[in-house]
Amino acid sequence: MKYYSTNNKSIRVNFREAVLKGIADDQGLFLPEKIKTLPEEIIRDFRKTGLNEIACTIAGIFVNNDIPDKVLSEIIKDSLNFEIPLVKVEENVFSLELFHGPTMAFKDVGARFLARCMSYFTETSKTITILVATSGDTGSAVANGFLGIEGIDVVILYPSGKVSPLQEKQFTTLGKNITAIEVSGTFDDCQEMVKLAFADPELKKRINLSSANSINIARLIPQTFYYFFAYAQLALNSLPLIISVPSGNYGNLTAGLIAKRLGLPVEIFLAASNINRPVPDYLETGEFKPRPSIETIANAMDVGNPGNFERILEMYDHSWKAIKKEIIGFSYTDDQIRKSIKQVYKNTGYLLDPHGATGYLALKEYLYDHPGIGIFFETAHPAKFHTIIEEIIEEDLIIPEKLLEFDNRRKKTVVISNRFEDFKNYLLSQITG
Ligand SMILES: *Cc1c(COP(=O)(O)O)cnc(C)c1O
C-alpha cells in the first residue's frame, strides 16, 4: 500500500514515511492509493474472532510490511488494551462505546496506535517533535499515548479557557516529553498555527516536525478497526446498517469511509455535528465555507474548518453528488443536546455525553423515516463533562478513578498569543546546540 498526497497524486510514499511526516511536503494529506475490498467471507469471519484479530487483518493491509507482523500484532495488543462494547440503548439503536481507554475518549485508539508505530520507526531516525492542536480530547489522548517515549517530544497547543478543567489537567500536568502551550485564541487558531509551522521553511529545516492530529494517517487507520468490530457484534444480516458519527475534524468519519471501501456493509453514514456545521451545510448546498468555530457543550466538535474534509473530497473526486450519496449531515443546538441527554437517561437509564448525544439525535432523526439498524458512536465518557451532565440530569455522577488521577497535580503551561511568530519563536528557542 502506498500513500499519495491530496495535493498531488504523483507523490507516493510508504506507510513509514506517511506516519513520520504526518503531512506531505506539499501540505497535502496522505491517503491510501487503492483500497481493495476484502472478500465477504473474511468480513463474515470477523464474527468469530475478536477486535485484535480484526485489527491485525486490516492493519496488515495498510502497514504493508513496514512493520513486521509480529511487532504490528504487539502494537495492536498494546494500543487496544481496553473494551469497545456495543450496547443496546433502544430497539435498533446501539451505542458503540469508544471511551474505555486511559483518557476516556475515542481518540485513545488512534493516538495509542500512532505513538507505538512512531516509536518503532524512530528507533532508526532522529528525534521528532510532534505538534498537535487540541480542543480537549486530542491533547490528553496524544499526551497519554506518547508520554515517556524516547526520541519524541510532544508540543500541544490548546485554546486557553476553552477546554474543561478535567481535560486540561490530563495533558498539562505530565511533564517529561510533553509540553502544553496555552494559546489566547480559539481551537481554529491553534490548528492554523500548527499548519503554518509545517509550511515554514526555517522550522522544517531546523526541527524534525510531525503531526499527531487526525491529519496523520496512522490515527485514522486504527479507527477503521472498530467499525468492523461493531458490525461483527450485531446479529448476522443486521441490515440496512446506519452509522452515526459525532464529528468535528472528521477523522472518525473518514475512517468509516475507508472501512466502507474495505467492504463494511454500511448503507449510510450520518455526520452528526453541533452548531458548527460547515460539513452539513456543504452536504446540503454543495458549497464548503469554513468559518470561525462557535463554543458549544460538545466542545471537542467545535471545529469551523475540519482538517479531514480535504480527504473526504479527494476520496470522492470532489463530487458533491457522490459524497451526498454516502453521508447525510445533521446539526444540533446545545439545547437539543441537553434535552436528549435528559430524555434518554430518563427513558432508558443510558447516559449520553454531549458528543454522543449528537450521534444519537442524528440516528433517531434518520431512523424515523428510514427503518434500519443504527449504531451511534459514544466518543467520550459522560463523566468527562460531569458539571454539564450533573446539571442536566440533576444527579451527581461517579467520576472514574482514571479521570481523577490528574486532578490534584499542578498545571504547567507556556502561555502565548495566537500569532504564529510567537509560536515559531518558542519552537526555535527550544533547540539547543
Ligand atoms: C475529537 C472528538 C470528536 C470528533 O471527532 P473527529 O474525528 O474530529 O470528527 C467527537 N467526540 C469527541 C468526544 C472527541 O474527542
Side-chain angles (χ1 to χ4, degrees):
M1 172 81 72
K2 294 269 190 209
Y3 296 83
Y4 71 92
S5 159
T6 50
N7 284 345
N8 181 350
K9 275 210 162 149
S10 65
I11 294 185
R12 292 283 147 100
V13 303
N14 56 18
F15 179 70
R16 180 179 192 276
E17 193 175 341
V19 173
L20 287 177
K21 281 212 156 103
I23 190 163
D25 288 332
D26 62 4
Q27 308 309 307
L29 305 187
F30 289 116
L31 263 181
E33 59 172 348
K34 252 188 240 111
I35 303 170
K36 268 200 243 146
T37 311
L38 288 164
E40 254 174 65
E41 316 85 82
I42 290 197
I43 295 173
R44 203 171 334 114
D45 283 351
F46 281 165
R47 304 178 169 273
K48 300 183 203 137
T49 61
L51 176 61
N52 276 327
E53 284 89 326
I54 295 175
C56 285
T57 304
I58 297 171
I61 300 170
F62 291 101
V63 172
N64 195 22
N65 298 328
D66 279 7
I67 301 175
D69 281 350
K70 244 181 125 176
V71 178
L72 184 60
S73 142
E74 282 303 311
I75 288 176
I76 286 168
K77 216 164 85 195
D78 260 16
S79 308
L80 301 171
N81 62 347
F82 47 88
E83 308 258 281
I84 304 187
L86 186 73
V87 178
K88 184 170 173 178
V89 177
E90 294 165 20
E91 203 52 42
N92 295 336
V93 174
F94 295 86
S95 165
L96 186 70
E97 294 188 346
L98 297 169
F99 57 70
H100 295 282
T103 73
M104 312 212 87
F106 88 95
K107 292 191 176 73
D108 280 328
V109 174
R112 291 173 71 78
F113 181 80
L114 168 65
R116 282 156 184 78
C117 289
M118 267 203 183
S119 167
Y120 174 77
F121 291 140
T122 47
E123 281 171 16
T124 54
S125 93
K126 52 180 181 163
T127 298
I128 291 183
T129 300
I130 287 184
L131 304 182
V132 59
T134 185
S135 54
D137 286 338
T138 303
S140 40
V142 167
N144 185 283
F146 282 91
L147 183 65
I149 290 189
E150 251 173 73
I152 304 181
D153 291 329
V154 179
V155 177
I156 299 171
L157 282 87
Y158 74 102
S160 182
K162 296 193 171 66
V163 168
S164 88
L166 227 125
Q167 282 179 315
E168 190 181 25
K169 286 279 175 120
Q170 282 183 310
F171 61 85
T172 56
T173 61
L174 298 168
K176 290 192 188 166
N177 57 334
I178 313 292
T179 306
I181 301 204
E182 198 169 346
V183 176
S184 349
T186 61
F187 168 69
D188 294 325
D189 294 336
C190 297
Q191 185 148 269
E192 188 58 27
M193 286 160 88
V194 168
K195 254 195 179 162
L196 289 171
F198 284 118
D200 188 277
E202 189 182 0
L203 287 177
K204 238 172 42 191
K205 208 167 72 201
R206 301 187 55 190
I207 310 176
N208 202 5
L209 294 176
S210 188
S211 160
N213 273 104
S214 53
I215 55 174
N216 195 308
I217 193 74
R219 280 269 305 269
L220 299 195
I221 288 167
Q223 291 176 9
T224 61
F225 308 160
Y226 52 66
Y227 279 87
F228 285 98
F229 185 54
Y231 176 64
Q233 292 177 72
L234 288 172
L236 195 61
N237 297 325
S238 294
L239 299 171
L241 175 63
I242 297 129
I243 301 185
S244 176
V245 187
S247 295
N249 232 352
Y250 282 81
N252 215 357
L253 187 67
T254 304
L257 300 173
I258 295 174
K260 186 166 189 185
R261 297 250 161 122
L262 284 165
L264 182 79
V266 56
E267 175 87 2
I268 190 107
F269 289 103
L270 312 183
S273 66
N274 55 32
I275 53 168
N276 294 283
R277 43 172 303 156
V279 175
D281 283 349
Y282 166 81
L283 292 166
E284 241 166 62
T285 65
E287 249 185 287
F288 182 64
K289 284 196 232 141
R291 61 202 77 166
S293 55
I294 305 162
E295 268 179 71
T296 75
I297 58 170
N299 68 347
M301 296 164 25
D302 294 350
V303 183
N305 187 9
N308 281 289
F309 185 64
E310 223 174 291
R311 280 198 170 108
I312 297 179
L313 283 179
E314 181 58 36
M315 282 181 78
Y316 294 91
D317 283 330
H318 296 250
S319 158
W320 174 54
K321 270 201 187 131
I323 295 174
K324 255 190 354 169
K325 269 196 208 140
E326 311 248 314
I327 313 168
I328 305 179
F330 294 86
S331 154
Y332 299 99
T333 63
D334 278 359
D335 206 39
Q336 289 171 306
I337 292 171
R338 283 200 178 88
K339 273 199 189 117
S340 71
I341 293 173
K342 192 177 175 104
Q343 236 168 26
V344 173
Y345 185 62
K346 202 174 121 217
N347 295 344
T348 71
Y350 192 81
L351 191 55
L352 299 166
D353 96 292
H355 307 79
T358 66
Y360 171 86
L361 280 165
L363 185 55
K364 289 293 279 189
E365 193 173 335
Y366 183 82
L367 286 176
Y368 184 76
D369 44 13
H370 303 83
I373 308 289
I375 296 174
F376 69 95
F377 288 174
E378 243 313 347
T379 46
H381 192 292
K384 284 195 101 163
F385 311 93
H386 63 98
T387 343
I388 296 165
I389 304 278
E390 284 167 348
E391 215 178 274
I392 297 170
I393 63 167
E394 297 170 58
E395 270 178 45
D396 284 341
L397 287 190
I398 297 164
I399 319 257
E401 207 42 53
K402 276 190 240 184
L403 291 179
L404 289 175
E405 197 187 321
F406 303 94
D407 219 26
N408 298 323
R409 299 202 201 162
R410 207 168 61 86
K411 161 179 152 181
K412 195 164 166 264
T413 62
V414 176
V415 182
I416 64 168
S417 77
N418 62 352
R419 286 178 47 240
F420 173 64
E421 285 307 310
D422 285 358
F423 180 44
K424 181 173 171 177
N425 289 337
Y426 167 78
L427 287 175
L428 290 173
S429 75
Q430 294 307 297
I431 315 172
T432 44

